[in-house]
Amino acid sequence: MKIELTNRPEMKTLSLLKQLISNPWIGALASLAILIPSLYIILDDVTVLRKEYILLLIAFPIYLKSLKKIFDEILDSPDDSLK
């Protein structure tokens, strides 16, 4: 039996997709793209229950998680300026 080692385009796409999902900068930008328009719509009339409240409940924790990951990476990186 012969094993063929090839790079399939599906695997490259899956690998790229995994990198994008795990990137905290993409998460922060995507959640801000949801948060800002939702807040404008909500603040227009606060008394009306809208689907934007649900979007806000979903996007805000993603935004906080992404920021935490970004700041953790900054704090854990070695500081070269002390040398």
Side-chain angles (χ1 to χ4, degrees), residues 17-28 66 69-70 73:
L17 187 61
K18 284 183 181 179
Q19 287 177 347
L20 286 176
I21 289 173
S22 65
N23 189 347
W25 292 98
I26 299 295
S66 297
K69 197 178 216 184
I70 290 169
E73 287 177 3

Side-chain angles (χ1 to χ4, degrees), residues 4-64:
E4 184 177 332
L5 297 175
T6 60
N7 290 336
R8 295 185 178 157
E10 302 89 27
M11 297 306 286
K12 289 181 183 178
T13 307
L14 184 63
S15 167
L16 182 63
L17 187 61
K18 284 183 181 179
Q19 287 177 347
L20 286 176
I21 289 173
S22 65
N23 189 347
W25 292 98
I26 299 295
L29 289 176
S31 59
L32 279 178
I34 295 171
L35 283 172
I36 293 172
S38 296
L39 285 174
Y40 278 119
I41 293 171
I42 289 171
L43 292 176
D44 186 36
D45 188 14
V46 181
T47 60
V48 178
L49 186 61
R50 301 174 188 259
K51 67 178 178 185
E52 282 76 19
Y53 286 110
I54 296 170
L55 291 174
L56 193 67
L57 287 173
I58 294 170
F60 193 66
I62 294 171
Y63 180 67
L64 291 178

Side-chain angles (χ1 to χ4, degrees), residues 77-83:
S77 67
D79 192 12
D80 294 335
S81 65
L82 295 176
K83 291 182 179 180

